[in-house]
Amino acid sequence: MSENEPTEHPANATVSAGEPRFLTQDDLSVDTHQVVAPDGSYDADEVPDLDDEQFQDLYRWMLTDRVFSKRMVNIQRRGELGTFGSTRGQEASIIGSAYTLQPDDWLYVGRAWTPMFMRGVPMKDMIMFWRGIEEGQQSFAEHNCQIAISIGSHLPLVAGLAWGMDLSGDDAIATAYLGDGATSTGAAHEAINFAGALEVPALFYCQNNQYAISLSAEEQTGANTLAQKALAYGMDAIRVDGQDVLAVYEAVNEARKRVRNGEPVFVESVTYRMDAHTTSDDPTRYRSDEEVDAWEDADPLERYREFLRAEGLWDDIDHDAIEAEIDAEFDAALEEANAFEERGVEEIFAHVYAELPPDLQRQSEEFSDLLERRPELYDYIEQRPKG
Amino acid sequence: MQATIVEAVKDALHTEMAADDDVVVFGEDVAESGGVFRATDGLLEEFGEDRVVDTPLSEIAIVGAATGLAMYGYRPVAEIQFSGFLPPAFDQLVTNASRIRWRTRGALSAPMVVRMPYGAGVRALEHHSESMEGAYAHIPGLKVVAPSTPHDTKGLLLASIRDPDPVLFMEPKRIYRSFRDDVPEEDYEVPLGEAAVRREGSDLTVVSWGSMMPPTLDAADEADADVEVIDLRTISPMDTETVVESVKKTGRAVVVHEGPRSHGVGGDIVAHINDEALMYLEAPVERVTGFDTPVPLLSMEDYYFPHPPRILDAIEDALSV
Ligand SMILES: Cc1ncc(C[n+]2csc(CCOP(=O)(O)OP(=O)(O)O)c2C)c(N)n1
Ligand SMILES: [Mg+2]
């Protein structure tokens, strides 16, 4: 034929006549990776290759996550924080994944705070973040991590960070933690497709904790799983039992290896948000006690303790002592955060641009002047570094 | 009945859903849990799951699908949970909702409402505090409304749902529950595009809207002058006549808004005054606004908001010339 002849597309390799066949979700079978079963049983050959210290480390971080959430919810109730999103129930999902990350990797999280501590962010800065003090985020940035408040907005950023790593030939990956709700945003879809098309070292770690505020994961999408969404974008995916820290660790560790080679991966971790969405949410409006109780029985710490007992590692772990240490760390962090000094009003104008434009400079000066001339303004203004 | 602003929103939605079967309410967390501010509480029970719908977390689709529903003959009332999450859907407002009538020479239209709480003052996280009415009012074909009282909230929302064009309905969440006023049980409209004179005066005119009305009225009460206060109520299309007539009478004006100063609605109001009442002015028109910065996070959020002493300072400045 002429030179206009279309190039052969692999999709044309097999053609079929007759009734068109629908591709259905059932064409796809999506397994959920698991190492330790809910009853604590496991196959010793399937356990990931970690040493005793690492097994203990995982427990310590999971406990850190639980204690941190508990303490934060408590101080919020005492009026010492604006709001807070607890991660109780998601400890295996959060720690198993973050444990695979390397110091040069970048991390952009949804509901996952302890991974930032694992990267060296002081607890004090996380407390400050939830108190609405900008310096908290400055500290996060110094440790290559950030929290995205606008759901899904961070995924394109992660694609770009990964692109930069690829261009620079760096030994690092960029990771986005996202929720089930986030998979419905336009930004997420564009970013996952973009990363898949450009083959950049991006890892999309989706914690399907069954809810986006009041909306259940079943109502969030007609898809059987969230993992399968990645396939449409040419990206491989893993679905993992998010209550099983070893399964999560193994899945994300394998994923990270691929990602490092320029093959982005999407991981869906099936987990549960035990507490309210934030301290201002009332979950009894949209979910039953029975459902919550059933997930309480799938407690990730308890499942892991079963494993540690079976391995004979539990005897070396002094749970109470570790908990006391974490509590002490929190106490110290809180004290440090409480010591944070009030800032001058010029802080409001700082960092909007690299250089303060003249008009903004004028606004800053006029406002400082006004505060001096009209101290009654302080009847309306309270700086609240303590939440 | 005595109601708060958020209760007036709820009342308007109940009223119009009962009156018009084509009204469909949807958004994130609006049905089963009744909305994060409870503005849609009880609608699901009363009107059922076909007309009160919890959507996926998809702002683009919420606003875009509202446009499609409206083109198909429904009267969608979509909720964006916080105005800080409208930006992803900005595209649908600019590209579609505001242009359907124009694009089709009137053959199609998009009579729809997007409701959203806006403004600072609830001590939440980033993106829960902005006042971007200036950006939205800049879109031709889109109406932008911001009530400041429970009475107006019900009447303006009913008028917005019945309006033939798309309306962005910005609810001042800082004063959602801060006071009650008399809200008639019956159906009534407050017409779009009509400002209200909240306080008559002869020395100076202050123009504001939404969450800035209470501090503006406080400052007017404190001023050692006879201050007229205008509540714009609809930002676009703007009732410039009421503003201009007032300034012709007083010869002095102050504009107060919460959003950033530059390229904002305040500058536009000053331009209208200059166009039509320049020769009546005895002093430059003052603007009291948010700063040209993101709203500070909650520990310093209070500083951003134009409080009464700041407004009073501008009033005194304008009077001193
Ligand atoms: C773009 C956007 N829309 C709405 C919100 C309000 N909001 C905060 S969290 C949330 C649900 C998020 O659900 P999911 O992604 O599953 O994360 P989870 O909170 O369960 O960890 C919503 C709707 C937001 N922050 N950003
Ligand atoms: Mg979720």
Side-chain angles (χ1 to χ4, degrees):
Chain A
M1 259 175 57
S2 74
E3 57 213 38
N4 289 334
E5 187 177 2
T7 47
E8 181 82 34
H9 190 278
N12 295 335
T14 52
V15 291
S16 61
E19 290 284 304
R21 189 175 88 79
F22 286 89
L23 282 173
T24 75
Q25 295 198 53
D26 300 330
D27 287 334
L28 199 65
S29 102
V30 183
D31 300 334
T32 304
H33 181 64
Q34 189 177 72
V35 173
V36 180
D39 66 4
S41 64
Y42 62 94
D43 178 344
D45 294 340
E46 301 297 333
V47 173
D49 187 21
L50 292 168
D51 62 30
D52 290 358
E53 203 177 312
Q54 290 171 313
F55 283 128
Q56 291 170 0
D57 227 18
L58 283 174
Y59 187 74
R60 186 188 184 91
W61 283 120
M62 285 168 75
L63 195 55
T64 302
D65 198 60
R66 176 149 304 180
V67 171
F68 182 73
S69 275
K70 187 180 85 188
R71 297 293 306 269
M72 290 292 271
V73 169
N74 284 345
I75 66 169
Q76 198 279 339
R77 291 206 181 111
R78 294 205 307 251
E80 295 176 31
L81 282 185
T83 181
F84 177 67
S86 166
T87 57
R88 188 165 70 89
Q90 298 182 215
E91 295 86 351
S93 171
I94 289 167
I95 303 306
S97 52
Y99 203 65
T100 68
L101 297 183
Q102 302 302 313
D104 287 340
D105 293 350
W106 279 57
L107 176 64
Y108 235 111
V109 297
R111 189 181 297 269
W113 327 123
T114 305
M116 302 172 79
F117 305 149
M118 295 164 84
R119 307 186 63 77
V121 170
M123 259 185 201
K124 165 200 104 205
D125 293 317
M126 189 62 75
I127 296 173
M128 297 219 302
F129 169 83
W130 289 99
R131 286 180 165 181
I133 297 170
E134 287 80 355
E135 274 74 357
Q137 282 159 189
Q138 184 178 355
S139 161
F140 300 165
E142 284 158 5
H143 295 86
N144 296 352
C145 50
Q146 285 285 286
I147 295 174
I149 299 299
S150 181
I151 300 291
S153 65
H154 56 309
L155 273 73
L157 301 183
V158 163
L161 290 164
W163 190 2
M165 290 166 174
D166 191 31
L167 286 174
S168 309
D170 289 339
D171 182 11
I173 70 163
T175 302
Y177 277 53
L178 59 145
D180 41 299
T183 62
S184 295
T185 63
H189 285 264
E190 293 195 18
I192 295 167
N193 184 63
F194 198 91
L198 271 67
E199 300 182 323
V200 298
L203 171 65
F204 298 100
Y205 184 67
C206 178
Q207 297 195 80
N208 178 356
N209 65 0
Q210 310 306 321
Y211 285 93
I213 310 188
S214 71
L215 195 72
S216 70
E218 291 77 54
E219 293 165 301
Q220 187 66 243
T221 177
N224 286 346
T225 69
L226 300 179
Q228 71 196 55
K229 294 192 177 211
L231 301 191
Y233 300 129
M235 193 178 294
D236 289 348
I238 304 176
R239 191 168 200 258
V240 64
D241 179 349
Q243 306 307 85
D244 176 358
V245 69
L246 297 178
V248 172
Y249 169 79
E250 190 177 36
V252 179
N253 198 40
E254 290 304 313
R256 192 188 176 284
K257 285 184 206 159
R258 282 211 199 181
V259 171
R260 178 57 199 90
N261 289 329
E263 289 176 71
V265 176
F266 183 98
V267 178
E268 176 189 0
S269 159
V270 183
T271 180
Y272 196 77
R273 189 196 81 215
M274 290 302 300
D275 287 338
H277 170 72
T278 63
T279 41
S280 41
D281 171 47
D282 172 11
T284 61
R285 294 179 77 97
Y286 54 82
R287 66 186 190 185
S288 69
D289 291 346
E290 294 76 54
E291 178 188 305
V292 177
D293 290 346
W295 279 93
E296 190 89 60
D297 291 340
D299 181 57
L301 273 94
E302 189 47 43
R303 174 124 39 122
Y304 191 44
R305 280 194 285 264
E306 292 282 335
F307 168 82
L308 293 170
R309 284 189 198 103
E311 290 287 309
L313 291 168
W314 183 244
D315 293 341
D316 293 335
I317 294 176
D318 187 343
H319 171 95
D320 293 345
I322 300 174
E323 190 168 10
E325 270 172 44
I326 300 165
D327 268 323
E329 185 187 352
F330 188 89
D331 290 337
L334 185 59
E335 202 172 311
E336 258 186 280
N338 287 344
F340 185 77
E341 296 289 332
E342 290 198 359
R343 294 161 295 169
V345 290
E346 63 285 354
E347 274 305 309
I348 294 173
F349 301 88
H351 305 296
V352 181
Y353 298 97
E355 210 174 301
L356 201 60
D359 197 38
L360 204 48
Q361 173 79 35
R362 205 171 311 124
Q363 289 181 25
S364 174
E365 283 161 9
E366 280 175 11
F367 188 48
S368 295
D369 174 60
L370 186 71
L371 282 164
E372 236 163 75
R373 284 192 291 113
R374 294 196 179 261
E376 64 271 28
L377 260 169
Y378 287 104
D379 296 346
Y380 301 87
I381 293 173
E382 197 188 330
Q383 196 172 137
R384 294 169 209 241
K386 315 232 183 325
Chain B
M1 66 178 177
Q2 290 290 305
T4 60
I5 288 179
V6 73
E7 286 161 1
V9 169
K10 193 166 68 175
D11 188 42
L13 293 173
H14 276 269
T15 301
E16 195 58 0
M17 288 198 84
D20 181 355
D21 288 345
D22 289 335
V23 176
V24 181
V25 168
F26 55 94
E28 294 159 16
D29 309 290
V30 300
E32 195 171 355
S33 86
V36 296
F37 290 101
R38 305 284 172 256
T40 52
D41 203 18
L43 291 176
L44 175 67
E45 292 72 14
E46 199 172 333
F47 300 104
E49 57 186 30
D50 281 350
R51 296 180 63 201
V52 186
V53 180
D54 278 326
T55 66
L57 206 168
S58 306
E59 279 77 12
I60 300 172
I62 290 170
V63 175
T67 312
L69 270 171
M71 290 163 70
Y72 204 69
Y74 284 89
R75 290 276 168 168
V77 182
E79 177 180 299
I80 293 291
Q81 202 162 76
F82 287 89
S83 69
F85 306 127
L86 183 65
F90 192 67
D91 175 41
Q92 289 298 325
L93 288 179
V94 175
T95 306
N96 288 326
S98 62
R99 292 169 169 255
I100 291 298
R101 178 184 301 285
W102 174 84
R103 186 182 293 149
T104 63
R105 302 286 90 193
L108 289 172
S109 61
M112 57 188 266
V113 175
V114 176
R115 298 175 36 244
M116 56 182 193
Y118 84 95
V122 298
R123 307 199 168 284
L125 297 167
E126 197 183 348
H127 310 303
H128 291 73
S129 323
E130 23 285 297
S131 302
M132 286 181 54
E133 61 270 31
Y136 304 125
H138 205 70
I139 305 173
L142 181 70
K143 296 185 178 178
V144 181
V145 174
S148 75
T149 67
H151 175 276
D152 280 4
T153 298
K154 178 172 175 181
L156 285 168
L157 186 50
L158 287 172
S160 297
I161 301 172
R162 295 165 189 170
D163 196 85
D165 287 307
V167 177
L168 186 63
F169 196 83
M170 300 181 62
E171 298 167 6
K173 67 173 179 285
R174 179 191 179 86
I175 52 172
Y176 251 166
R177 297 192 170 92
S178 56
F179 61 97
R180 287 173 193 277
D181 95 68
D182 199 40
V183 174
E185 306 267 354
E186 68 268 14
D187 186 328
Y188 64 94
E189 291 184 27
V190 171
L192 303 192
E194 279 186 23
V197 177
R198 294 286 178 214
R199 188 182 195 283
E200 299 218 15
S202 54
D203 295 339
L204 176 140
T205 305
V206 188
V207 184
S208 193
W209 55 89
S211 55
M212 291 312 303
M213 285 310 296
T216 296
L217 287 164
D218 286 353
D221 287 343
E222 258 176 69
D224 196 14
D226 193 17
V227 176
E228 179 145 302
V229 176
I230 295 175
D231 179 350
L232 216 47
R233 303 198 289 197
T234 301
I235 293 154
S236 176
M238 195 186 287
D239 179 0
T240 52
E241 195 187 324
T242 299
V243 175
V244 166
E245 287 313 310
S246 173
V247 175
K248 281 182 180 171
K249 180 176 71 177
T250 61
R252 299 171 200 271
V254 173
V255 183
V256 183
H257 64 66
E258 191 179 333
R261 180 185 188 83
S262 298
H263 319 292
V265 180
D268 198 54
I269 293 172
V270 175
H272 279 291
I273 294 171
N274 286 345
D275 281 351
E276 296 172 62
L278 186 65
M279 295 311 172
Y280 296 83
L281 283 179
E282 290 170 54
V285 181
E286 298 279 333
R287 280 180 292 167
V288 187
T289 67
F291 305 116
D292 291 345
T293 71
V295 183
L297 300 186
L298 63 103
S299 70
M300 287 186 83
E301 191 182 58
D302 284 353
Y303 287 87
Y304 190 84
F305 201 77
H307 296 290
R310 252 178 94 191
I311 301 168
L312 189 60
D313 198 68
I315 290 174
E316 289 175 4
D317 256 5
L319 287 167
S320 71
V321 182

